[in-house]
Amino acid sequence: MNTTPDHDPACPFCRNLSGTNPRCAFVSQSDGVSSFVNPRQYRPGATLVIPDRHVATIFDMTAEEWGAVTVHAQRIAVAACSAFGAPGVNIFQNNGSNAGQTVSHVHVHVVPRPEGDEGSAIFGEAHFGKAPVAERLAVAARIRKHLAAAP
């Protein structure tokens, strides 16, 4: 029996979903899955895909929820790579603080990798400040423009 609440008021991603964070730059919101620009733009177009229901790790998700998140992550990857002219993409997900998870709400990182960007693929949050809201909104709009053409 799953006793996970639909939303956790202490969770920053749940606050994004509730609309109480005006600085959230959503790329898309659909049945059960949403995506928004990562506030820390360590690579242009870095986006997070989350289930709308509050779940801390993949161990707390249903197979259907995980499937919906991964399908959405693929669509965001296609759109973000198109938007930023990137021939490659990193898609990764961490579970638990010992694995590098910093927000206890499942999220998949989608990171377009442009030509010549061959540095470390692992995101270290402590090394990057938050991008200005205007920049995040512009990134979201740019990806959204290409989302309709994604499979």
Side-chain angles (χ1 to χ4, degrees):
M1 179 176 173
N2 191 333
T3 58
T4 305
D6 284 347
H7 293 283
D8 177 353
C11 172
F13 292 173
C14 288
R15 285 195 301 270
N16 288 349
L17 292 170
S18 71
T20 59
N21 179 3
R23 296 172 295 180
C24 182
F26 280 103
V27 174
S28 65
Q29 292 183 276
S30 61
D31 265 350
V33 181
S34 296
S35 59
F36 53 91
V37 173
N38 191 327
R40 299 181 193 279
Q41 285 291 286
Y42 52 97
R43 296 291 187 274
T47 303
L48 300 173
V49 178
I50 65 169
D52 289 348
R53 184 172 73 90
H54 180 79
V55 286
T57 68
I58 63 167
F59 307 118
D60 305 312
M61 298 179 80
T62 67
E64 292 77 19
E65 286 172 321
W66 180 240
V69 167
T70 59
V71 166
H72 195 81
Q74 180 189 29
R75 292 190 70 230
I76 294 299
V78 169
C81 286
S82 179
F84 289 90
V89 64
N90 290 116
I91 299 175
F92 62 95
Q93 198 273 326
N94 304 316
N95 287 280
S97 59
N98 60 323
Q101 184 178 11
T102 58
V103 175
S104 293
H105 186 127
V106 168
H107 54 287
V108 174
H109 294 260
V110 178
V111 187
R113 299 300 292 261
E115 201 67 52
D117 182 10
E118 297 165 4
S120 172
I122 301 300
F123 167 57
E125 182 176 282
H127 303 291
F128 299 92
K130 291 186 176 180
V133 175
E135 180 181 328
R136 287 185 264 158
L137 291 170
V139 167
R142 190 168 170 180
I143 296 170
R144 224 177 359 261
K145 210 167 93 177
H146 294 266
L147 193 56

